[in-house]
Amino acid sequence: MYDKVISFLNINNILYKHQYGFRTKHSTIHPIIYLLNHCAGATNNQNPEYTLAVLCDLSKAFDVINHELLLQKLSTYDIRGVVNTWFVNYLSNRSQFVEIDITKSSRQHIPSGVPPGFHSWTLAFSRLCK
């Protein structure tokens, strides 16, 4: 599924050009190179500019991706039909509970976050969910 969705996104030029994570021929070193080139260019101008960088750790972003919003965005970007149904079925009606020794909590509906192993394609869609 990941290969098909990424192929669709690439063919239709949907991904942001600076989306580097989880894409072929892209690496986490690319945004660092881009930033360093920008800084070097700004300071080498005839009127040097200052560069301010705010770096955020988005590693927990997967925990807050709203399922409804993600599914709406998929539809907006023409990911419909059987493929969209697959995503709906995978993300809908998920629940969780906590078990300690022999005691279990009640099941709670999960309206956001992505299941383990689902992060690859979700990173590709992270820009779509803004």
Side-chain angles (χ1 to χ4, degrees):
M1 183 58 69
Y2 172 79
D3 291 339
K4 289 182 184 296
V5 171
I6 289 298
S7 175
F8 175 83
L9 295 172
N10 287 332
I11 289 169
N12 292 288
N13 201 27
I14 293 173
L15 293 176
Y16 178 60
K17 67 179 180 178
H18 295 295
Q19 169 70 43
Y20 301 105
F22 296 94
R23 291 180 66 190
T24 57
K25 299 181 183 175
H26 291 79
S27 167
T28 53
I29 196 70
H30 288 117
I32 296 168
I33 293 169
Y34 179 80
L35 175 65
L36 292 176
N37 283 338
H38 175 78
C39 293
T43 57
N44 289 331
N45 285 337
Q46 187 174 4
N47 295 319
E49 300 171 3
Y50 294 99
T51 301
L52 172 66
V54 177
L55 307 173
C56 301
D57 178 4
L58 300 177
S59 60
K60 294 293 182 184
F62 298 113
D63 296 340
V64 296
I65 293 175
N66 181 281
H67 296 166
E68 280 298 316
L69 178 61
L70 178 59
L71 294 170
Q72 287 173 6
K73 289 290 185 171
L74 290 173
S75 181
T76 300
Y77 286 95
D78 288 330
I79 297 177
R80 298 185 179 138
V82 174
V83 176
N84 189 275
T85 301
W86 185 87
F87 284 112
V88 169
N89 290 337
Y90 193 81
L91 292 173
S92 297
N93 300 317
R94 299 190 75 84
S95 63
Q96 66 184 13
F97 67 92
V98 176
E99 180 177 358
I100 300 175
D101 295 326
I102 60 168
T103 306
K104 293 182 183 178
S105 68
S106 61
R107 290 189 171 272
Q108 299 292 316
H109 174 69
I110 305 172
S112 61
V114 291
F118 214 52
H119 294 125
S120 298
W121 74 268
T122 307
L123 262 182
F125 290 116
S126 62
R127 291 209 41 95
L128 304 180
C129 292
K130 291 187 174 182

